Amino acid sequence: MGFYKKIKVRNLDELESFATALSKCLKGDELILLKGDLGSGKTTFTRFLVSAIDREAGEYVNSPTFSVMNEYDTEKFRIYHIDLYRVKSFDLSDILGKGIVIVEWPEDRFEEIDIPQIVLSFEIKDYDEREITVYLKGADYIAECI
């Protein structure tokens, strides 16, 4: 992968600020892969990111653990939010390039896909504190926002 950075967030306000900053560089065709343990902040980050793009759409963000995929129409572009915690395989081919695709629990399934990728690995450090490792693949333009 290309760009790599570790970011510490000490509370939800800082997580929201990180998501807001990241949202400013999104073009609308990225694959965002969210890794981390249960409760590490993947869905909360997604809610903050969608809210930064479209406040109203952000109100509807919830975990797609049981539905597997939620779609959010925003003022800028469509966002697909996928949770693969209980899913062994999932075909993204119909939605890639048609909006932002956010995948929780991606494992290493999508690394060979040739579209801009943002990989965020969440590590719990304390009750609200997280360390987020950011990898960018074909999305180095995101680095200027984070």
Side-chain angles (χ1 to χ4, degrees):
M1 281 194 192
F3 179 87
Y4 163 87
K5 182 176 185 177
K6 287 188 181 268
I7 297 172
K8 277 213 190 268
V9 293
R10 293 180 292 268
N11 52 51
L12 290 176
D13 289 337
E14 289 185 8
L15 181 61
E16 184 173 19
S17 293
F18 170 66
T20 299
L22 178 66
S23 76
K24 294 180 189 311
C25 280
L26 294 173
K27 295 179 179 178
D29 63 347
E30 293 88 358
L31 174 61
I32 302 175
L33 304 175
L34 305 180
K35 300 179 177 185
D37 292 335
L38 283 169
S40 63
K42 298 179 297 294
T43 301
T44 300
F45 167 81
T46 301
R47 183 177 315 109
F48 289 150
L49 183 69
V50 174
S51 290
I53 295 166
D54 184 321
R55 180 72 52 196
E56 186 176 328
E59 294 177 16
Y60 298 100
V61 174
N62 57 41
S63 177
T65 299
F66 297 104
S67 62
V68 180
M69 183 171 78
N70 293 337
E71 294 181 42
Y72 312 109
D73 287 317
T74 72
E75 297 170 351
K76 292 176 122 178
F77 30 71
R78 179 167 279 178
I79 299 174
Y80 301 91
H81 181 197
I82 301 163
D83 186 321
L84 298 180
Y85 184 67
R86 302 175 302 121
V87 178
K88 293 195 186 318
S89 67
F90 193 87
D91 184 5
L92 298 176
S93 61
D94 288 342
I95 59 174
L96 286 174
K98 296 179 181 172
I100 293 175
V101 178
I102 302 170
V103 181
E104 296 187 35
W105 304 99
E107 305 306 322
D108 294 325
R109 303 176 215 198
F110 306 112
E111 290 182 356
E112 300 305 316
I113 293 175
D114 190 28
I115 67 165
Q117 292 186 31
I118 303 162
V119 181
L120 304 177
S121 296
F122 291 76
E123 184 179 348
I124 300 170
K125 292 296 189 180
D126 201 359
Y127 179 71
D128 277 342
E129 187 176 317
R130 303 292 186 265
E131 183 174 85
I132 304 170
T133 304
V134 180
Y135 295 101
L136 302 177
K137 179 181 172 190
D140 288 349
Y141 55 89
I142 296 292
E144 70 184 60
C145 290
I146 57 169

